[in-house]
Amino acid sequence: MQQNIEFERCIDFLVRMIDKYGEEVLRELEEEKQNKEEKETAVPEIQNVNQTVAFFMYF
C-alpha cells in the first residue's frame, strides 16, 4: 500500500515536470539536433577545401 502511494506521488511529480518543462526540453533537443546536422554537413566542405589546398601546395 505504501509503495503504491509513493509510486503515485512519483508519477504525479513526473507529469507536472513534463507539463512544465516538456516543450522547452523538446525545443532544446531539436536545436541540438539541427546544430549537429549543420556541423556534419559543414565538415565535408572543410575537408574538400583542405584537400584542394594541399593539392595546390604540392604543385
Side-chain angles (χ1 to χ4, degrees), residues 1-12:
M1 182 71 175
Q2 182 64 25
Q3 290 177 336
N4 287 342
I5 294 170
E6 291 173 3
F7 180 76
E8 289 295 324
R9 287 182 60 206
C10 179
I11 295 300
D12 289 341

Side-chain angles (χ1 to χ4, degrees), residues 7-51:
F7 180 76
E8 289 295 324
R9 287 182 60 206
C10 179
I11 295 300
D12 289 341
F13 171 78
L14 291 174
V15 168
R16 286 194 311 274
M17 293 300 103
I18 290 170
D19 285 343
K20 186 172 183 177
Y21 298 110
E23 288 183 32
E24 180 181 347
V25 170
L26 288 175
R27 221 178 4 262
E28 289 176 6
L29 290 172
E30 185 61 34
E31 287 175 11
E32 288 177 11
K33 180 181 175 185
Q34 287 177 351
N35 289 340
K36 182 179 177 185
E37 290 172 354
E38 289 172 4
K39 287 180 182 178
E40 287 175 353
T41 57
V43 170
E45 294 172 6
I46 293 170
Q47 288 175 343
N48 289 339
V49 169
N50 289 340
Q51 290 171 354

